[in-house]
Amino acid sequence: MKYFILLFFCCFLGLNQSVDAQILDSLKNLNKSKVDKKIDRSAYYHVGFMLNEPDYNGPEIRLGNSWRWGVGNQTAFLLGDGNRFALGWGTNFAWDHYRLEQNDLKSIPDSTLHDKEQFISQNIYFDLFPRFYFDDKPNNKARSYIDLGLYGEWSHTMKHKTIDEYDPANGVGGGKTEVVQRKLDYVNRWHYGAVARLNFGILGIFGVYRFNALFSEDSNLTDLPKLMVGLQITR
């Protein structure tokens, strides 16, 4: 009889431990679920176009042909119980193409005119923003929201490219010359400014305004336009 009681006690202890383990796992999953509902993660693709500003009187860019393409991700933490306000950050990798108009205003890096001319940069971008949602449905990828924040950016690659075409061919028999200059010592590698996004489900619009100059102060070069507006697809 005592062996039966001992066996029953061991079985009861094992069952109790199993139940306790299941309860703990359930609580962990519940807590994780609650945490996940407070985190809004998304990836995005965007394309934006540089714009000549109304008061701008420097070298002009080719509108519609000066653009940025980028990919990135965003993480926002919902605050409070209303699920309408969050604080977030994002990272981005982007390519910028500033294509210069060839006219009398051109002064960067000099006044020499070419058939085509552009500045190309590859940038690593980080932003911080408060976010306001237009609905109160957490963890919904189709949510609409507005972001207003600040960004910092490092241009790890910057190059100046010119193209000249010849008809007839030039003195050495060439019909086209491409010149690419790298490691430019007259540009700022670090940029910062303001960013705004208005998102409706998976599609949205964004705007970026750079606060500092694209070129270094001691270069005495006129800055290029600072405003960019575009479309964003969020997944």
Side-chain angles (χ1 to χ4, degrees):
M1 184 67 179
K2 63 181 180 180
Y3 295 110
F4 175 77
I5 295 175
L6 181 60
L7 179 61
F8 175 79
F9 178 77
C10 291
C11 291
F12 176 78
L13 182 61
L15 178 62
N16 186 53
Q17 290 178 344
S18 177
V19 171
D20 288 345
Q22 291 178 2
I23 292 174
L24 289 174
D25 288 341
S26 298
L27 290 174
K28 288 179 181 178
N29 292 334
L30 180 61
N31 291 334
K32 184 177 184 299
S33 176
K34 287 183 178 180
V35 171
D36 286 344
K37 286 183 178 180
K38 289 295 184 180
I39 301 176
D40 185 1
R41 296 186 180 94
S42 59
Y44 67 89
Y45 313 89
H46 70 209
V47 58
F49 297 91
M50 289 75 168
L51 302 178
N52 288 321
E53 300 152 47
D55 297 332
Y56 181 72
N57 58 1
E60 295 179 348
I61 57 176
R62 293 184 176 178
L63 296 179
N65 209 14
S66 297
W67 50 272
R68 159 176 287 196
W69 183 85
V71 295
N73 63 79
Q74 298 168 339
T75 300
F77 286 88
L78 294 162
L79 302 178
D81 297 327
N83 295 322
R84 286 183 176 271
F85 184 73
L87 293 177
W89 71 80
T91 56
N92 177 288
F93 186 82
W95 292 260
D96 287 348
H97 293 254
Y98 290 89
R99 287 182 166 85
L100 304 183
E101 289 283 6
Q102 303 298 301
N103 54 30
D104 294 339
L105 294 176
K106 179 184 173 302
S107 59
I108 54 173
D110 53 39
S111 59
T112 303
L113 300 182
H114 305 273
D115 289 316
K116 296 179 181 179
E117 184 174 13
Q118 62 181 313
F119 284 92
I120 304 171
S121 65
Q122 296 177 4
N123 314 296
I124 297 174
Y125 170 108
F126 178 80
D127 64 355
L128 292 169
F129 53 87
R131 172 174 292 179
F132 178 78
Y133 292 95
F134 298 142
D135 61 69
D136 58 357
K137 300 175 182 178
N139 219 19
N140 182 0
K141 292 299 183 182
R143 298 187 72 182
S144 299
Y145 56 81
I146 184 170
D147 294 343
L148 297 172
L150 299 173
Y151 79 90
E153 182 178 64
W154 174 52
S155 295
H156 64 87
T157 298
M158 175 73 81
K159 59 186 179 181
H160 173 245
K161 181 179 179 179
T162 60
I163 297 177
D164 292 289
E165 298 179 349
Y166 310 100
D167 186 17
N170 60 15
V172 293
K176 182 178 181 180
T177 301
E178 293 187 17
V179 178
V180 178
Q181 300 182 49
R182 306 175 187 271
K183 297 183 179 181
L184 307 177
D185 61 0
Y186 54 86
V187 300
N188 284 324
R189 297 290 180 177
W190 294 93
H191 313 132
Y192 58 92
V195 58
R197 283 182 290 265
L198 181 60
N199 195 75
F200 300 98
I202 64 172
L203 186 63
I205 58 176
F206 75 96
V208 174
Y209 188 83
R210 175 169 42 85
F211 289 158
N212 65 328
L214 189 67
F215 304 113
S216 60
E217 186 175 348
D218 56 2
S219 69
N220 295 319
L221 295 176
T222 304
D223 194 17
L224 288 176
K226 298 180 177 182
L227 179 63
M228 175 175 26
V229 176
L231 297 176
Q232 177 172 305
I233 297 176
T234 304
R235 301 186 60 185

